[in-house]
Amino acid sequence: MSTGSSVLNNISYNFRQRFENEPGTNPEELVAAAHAGCFSMKLSFVLGEAGFTPESLETKCEITFEGGAVTKSHLIVKGKVPGISKEQFDEAVKKAEQTCPISKLLNTEISSEATLS
């Protein structure tokens, strides 16, 4: 598997990474990484709009895969944000959770286009 940026060039990607713990990646891991990264970026933006500058934000995303489907994406964030109250931080986290582009993607219509040769 590869991407336009070459970051994932020649990464092992197959059935065994999903179910047999073979080294490489799988779709759920990539979705989790995308969701955690996107959420962190959006949270930083939301905090900035509220007048706060985070010193650090660390987000982990746990994807639940059951019955052949991704059924849940759970974000766990740790932040160091000078001057913010717990209530303000929780509010910013909830806003970022609901408005980051990947959160929106995970709750959207999916379409496809296929060509058979």
Side-chain angles (χ1 to χ4, degrees):
M1 179 172 74
S2 297
T3 60
S5 68
S6 301
V7 170
L8 298 176
N9 273 0
N10 302 314
I11 295 296
S12 181
Y13 181 87
N14 63 49
F15 185 84
R16 290 181 302 279
Q17 279 81 30
R18 182 182 272 167
F19 298 110
E20 298 176 12
N21 296 320
E22 183 174 300
T25 192
N26 60 63
E28 296 77 37
E29 183 177 65
L30 295 172
V31 168
H35 201 191
C38 184
F39 169 81
S40 291
M41 292 172 89
K42 185 64 176 192
L43 179 55
S44 180
F45 178 80
V46 168
L47 291 167
E49 280 189 322
F52 299 102
T53 303
E55 287 183 16
S56 67
L57 295 172
E58 296 177 24
T59 305
K60 177 181 178 184
C61 180
E62 296 176 347
I63 294 289
T64 302
F65 183 74
E66 56 191 8
V70 173
T71 59
K72 187 174 182 180
S73 180
H74 181 65
L75 297 161
I76 303 162
V77 61
K78 293 180 183 178
K80 186 173 182 181
V81 186
I84 198 168
S85 69
K86 175 73 168 126
E87 293 78 20
Q88 289 170 310
F89 186 66
D90 289 345
E91 184 178 309
V93 166
K94 187 54 75 177
K95 183 175 181 180
E97 172 195 318
Q98 295 170 348
T99 61
C100 97
I102 298 299
S103 290
K104 291 178 182 181
L105 172 67
L106 295 174
N107 188 23
T108 190
E109 179 182 342
I110 298 172
S111 63
S112 62
E113 182 176 342
T115 303
L116 182 62
S117 57

